[in-house]
Amino acid sequence: MTGRISFLILIFHFISFSAQVENENEYKDSIYITEVEDSHEPFKVLHAEPLYIDLIRDLGARKGEREWNLGMGLIDNNKFDKYEALVEYEWAPINRLGLEVELPFSIYSSADSPGTKLNGLKLAAQYTFLVSEASSTSMALGYIHEFEMTEFKNYGKGKFFTGNVFNPFFVAAKRWGNNFHTLLYTGPVVHQSFGSSSSHTSWEINSNFHYMIAGTRNFIGVEFNKSIHSGDFDMTIRPQMRVGITDNTMVGIVTGIPLNREDQRFSSFLRLIYEPKHKSTGS
């Protein structure tokens, strides 16, 4: 009899402890979400941003927000390895409008691979046209324009810029409760080479699911990066995690698993994110 009473007391304490932890986590979440969605500024829904195909500033960006990104990656191709690097600067000149400048690099070490190069100069803009507090939903339209460049070894031997890439896109994101986040990022990508009247278009459909750890900016999640070109469908699954290092510095780690390994095998990507604090601008 004494053993049963002790067991019941143990269960009661376990349930009480679990409820306390859950309440503490909900409290932490509510504090962090309130901090991001501060009512003294234009309302902004907290969303988890994907790490590989990232956004042009947060959805619902506020005037004065800024962010630096440094990225490094490795793609294990069937014939040669490809190293990626990028430098990004994002800022919001007015509420809900994000702008970005990016310099992406491709680096090769094999003699039979393409030449190492600065891929191009990428300029981008994104405007959040819907921010719904009631449904924790945001929607945005954006545009990326890339001026493609030649390989380093060809500098001074011909055209410096070799073509254009046009990429209008649409973003829709929703937070479910305090911790679960979904996002859709989609649009056409049109490549136009200089000296050629033809162009080729692919459709990018990127869907994301993330779980944000209670009371933090840390999350775990997955991107499904899908591409359709001339009837050919490709998809890369990218499990990922983001961890805060300081109040305004985070690191993101991504692994790429292609569904169809015609051209490449596994890949990895690391993103260092620095977001300086900004002053409240009001509405």
Side-chain angles (χ1 to χ4, degrees):
M1 184 71 175
T2 303
R4 291 181 180 179
I5 294 175
S6 299
F7 180 69
L8 291 174
I9 292 174
L10 181 63
I11 291 177
F12 173 76
H13 282 298
F14 176 76
I15 294 174
S16 299
F17 176 75
S18 299
Q20 182 180 357
V21 170
E22 183 176 352
N23 290 335
E24 287 179 357
N25 287 340
E26 289 180 359
Y27 177 67
K28 289 178 181 178
D29 285 337
S30 64
I31 288 178
Y32 179 60
I33 291 172
T34 300
E35 179 183 339
V36 174
E37 303 175 350
D38 194 307
S39 60
H40 296 292
E41 300 196 48
F43 187 80
K44 171 182 177 179
V45 179
L46 172 66
H47 296 291
E49 180 179 352
L51 293 171
Y52 191 76
I53 306 294
D54 72 324
L55 304 180
I56 317 302
R57 271 318 299 141
D58 294 344
L59 294 171
R62 293 171 178 150
K63 181 180 179 180
E65 290 182 346
R66 296 173 293 151
E67 182 177 297
W68 284 95
N69 280 242
L70 295 176
M72 295 163 286
L74 168 64
I75 299 177
D76 180 14
N77 290 308
N78 290 332
K79 296 181 179 179
F80 48 80
D81 291 338
K82 174 184 176 182
Y83 298 89
E84 296 180 314
L86 63 84
V87 180
E88 283 180 6
Y89 179 62
E90 306 171 0
W91 75 101
I94 61 174
N95 291 326
R96 298 196 177 186
L97 175 65
L99 301 178
E100 178 184 284
V101 177
E102 178 183 339
L103 299 176
F105 295 84
S106 292
I107 304 166
Y108 302 92
S109 57
S110 174
D112 60 350
S113 64
T116 295
K117 67 176 181 175
L118 169 61
N119 297 336
L121 171 64
K122 294 179 72 173
L123 305 175
Q126 172 186 287
Y127 182 74
T128 307
F129 64 86
L130 173 68
V131 178
S132 172
E133 180 178 3
S135 60
S136 297
T137 299
S138 302
M139 294 185 183
L141 292 172
Y143 177 73
I144 301 173
H145 191 102
E146 181 175 0
F147 299 94
E148 294 184 304
M149 297 181 181
T150 190
E151 302 168 358
F152 288 146
K153 64 183 179 181
N154 293 330
Y155 280 14
K157 299 179 181 179
K159 293 181 180 179
F160 183 69
F161 291 103
T162 60
N164 288 308
V165 179
F166 311 94
N167 178 205
F169 62 87
F170 167 76
V171 182
K174 179 175 176 60
R175 190 181 71 240
W176 306 84
N178 287 345
N179 303 97
F180 294 96
H181 301 251
T182 53
L183 184 144
L184 174 68
Y185 179 114
T186 184
V189 179
V190 182
H191 292 260
Q192 174 68 61
S193 297
F194 293 155
S196 172
S197 58
S198 63
S199 62
H200 62 274
T201 302
S202 62
W203 279 88
E204 306 292 329
I205 307 168
N206 304 303
S207 49
N208 311 272
F209 177 83
H210 291 88
Y211 175 82
M212 191 167 287
I213 309 302
T216 72
R217 294 189 295 173
N218 304 340
F219 63 58
I220 56 174
V222 61
E223 286 183 52
F224 299 94
N225 302 138
K226 300 171 284 293
S227 176
I228 302 173
H229 177 253
S230 300
D232 185 32
F233 175 82
D234 292 304
M235 182 170 76
T236 300
I237 302 171
R238 289 191 165 92
Q240 56 194 250
M241 63 182 295
R242 187 180 73 182
V243 179
I245 302 174
T246 66
D247 289 342
N248 51 7
T249 306
M250 296 176 287
V251 62
I253 303 170
V254 183
T255 299
I257 308 169
L259 197 64
N260 189 331
R261 301 185 183 180
E262 292 178 350
D263 299 316
Q264 63 176 254
R265 295 185 284 269
F266 294 98
S267 63
S268 59
F269 184 75
L270 179 72
R271 183 183 292 271
L272 182 64
I273 305 162
Y274 174 67
E275 189 173 17
K277 292 182 179 179
H278 77 287
K279 296 180 180 179
S280 172
T281 58
S283 55

